[in-house]
Amino acid sequence: QVQLVESGGGSVQAGGSLRLSCADSGYTYSSYCMGWFRQAPGKEREGVAAIDGDGRTIYADSVKGRFTISQDNAKNTLHLQMNSLKPEDSAMYYCAADGSGVYCYYFPSLGGVGYWGQGTQVTVSS
């Protein structure tokens, strides 16, 4: 059974930084894509960043240059370093894992997501 558990969310002022982590267990598709998406109240889910099995990374235009996704395969952990945070980054952030081998291909669409966690809240105040 796949389980994804996020941590690291919190409240920061604009311009601040946060580092999100995702511990995965039971997910054996190490060559597949993993990533993060977010959802703010009243808005649709938005793909934020993803990383494929070869370490290639992709980002939403809204976070390019500010967010960095990384993966520690030895520890089965995914990270999202978020710098220069803006109030519009406020949302629930979810760790996501590929379910059919097309998550990265369709990014920022979330059609390929097969698994996701409970989320961690990020709040950025102005």
Side-chain angles (χ1 to χ4, degrees):
Q1 183 178 356
V2 176
Q3 187 173 19
L4 304 174
V5 180
E6 302 93 339
S7 62
S11 298
V12 295
Q13 291 190 329
S17 299
L18 284 172
R19 187 175 191 238
L20 305 184
S21 296
C22 171
D24 71 85
S25 61
Y27 189 65
T28 60
Y29 304 110
S30 60
S31 62
Y32 280 20
C33 180
M34 294 190 71
W36 296 88
F37 67 89
R38 65 188 181 187
Q39 187 168 26
K43 295 188 177 181
E44 293 189 356
R45 296 186 306 175
E46 175 190 18
V48 174
I51 183 168
D52 70 10
D54 293 322
R56 289 182 293 243
T57 58
I58 41 178
Y59 299 93
D61 289 343
S62 58
V63 305
K64 280 181 182 177
R66 300 188 298 120
F67 291 12
T68 302
I69 188 171
S70 61
Q71 191 169 30
D72 185 341
N73 288 324
K75 297 182 179 180
N76 293 336
T77 305
L78 186 72
H79 301 286
L80 184 68
Q81 178 66 44
M82 305 186 297
N83 299 328
S84 302
L85 283 162
K86 305 175 181 180
E88 51 263 43
D89 293 318
S90 296
M92 186 72 79
Y93 283 71
Y94 298 87
C95 175
D98 205 324
S100 56
V102 297
Y103 175 17
C104 276
Y105 180 79
Y106 286 129
F107 183 91
S109 169
L110 302 176
V113 171
Y115 310 93
W116 58 94
Q118 294 298 311
T120 185
Q121 179 68 40
V122 171
T123 303
V124 185
S125 57
S126 57

